[in-house]
Amino acid sequence: MDILVRSPRQFSDVREYADSLMSGATLMVSFDAVDSAMKNRIFDYLNGVSYIIGATVSKVSENLLMYAPNHVEVDKEAVKKSARSWLGR
C-alpha cells in the first residue's frame, strides 16, 4: 500500500493528489502551508473526489487529514493514538 504525504502550496498541486487517490494510494495531506481560504478549496475538492470513489476521510489533527481508498481499512482509534504521539501529546 502506498501512503503519500503531501503539503500543498497552491491549488494546482491538488490534481496530482486526486489522481493518486483514484489510483489507490492513501494520502496524508497537511494544510500547514496554505491559508484558510485555500485550505477550504483543497478540502472541498479532495472530499468531492473521495465521495465519488467511496474513499474515507479521517482527521488526524487540525491541519492534517488522511484520505484512504475504500479498500483500505482505517482504525480511527489507532489514528488518534499515533497522532498524539507523533504530535508530542
Side-chain angles (χ1 to χ4, degrees):
M1 172 177 62
D2 293 329
I3 299 176
L4 307 174
V5 180
R6 300 291 186 254
S7 184
R9 300 202 182 286
Q10 54 194 8
F11 188 76
S12 60
D13 295 337
V14 179
R15 183 170 183 171
E16 172 194 334
Y17 307 167
D19 289 343
S20 297
L21 181 61
M22 290 187 294
S23 295
T26 299
L27 293 173
M28 298 286 286
V29 180
S30 170
F31 293 97
D32 289 335
V34 294
D35 62 22
S36 63
M38 184 62 62
K39 176 181 176 180
N40 288 336
R41 282 187 71 197
I42 293 168
F43 177 81
D44 288 344
Y45 184 83
L46 289 177
N47 280 1
V49 170
S50 296
Y51 176 77
I52 290 168
I53 66 169
T56 60
V57 181
S58 301
K59 183 176 180 180
V60 178
S61 70
E62 189 61 36
N63 283 322
L64 183 65
L65 294 178
M66 179 170 58
Y67 296 87
N70 61 3
H71 67 273
V72 175
E73 185 176 327
V74 177
D75 181 345
K76 294 193 185 240
E77 285 302 312
V79 170
K80 288 179 188 176
K81 290 176 185 173
S82 65
R84 280 194 285 270
S85 63
W86 180 65
L87 296 170
R89 296 180 190 160

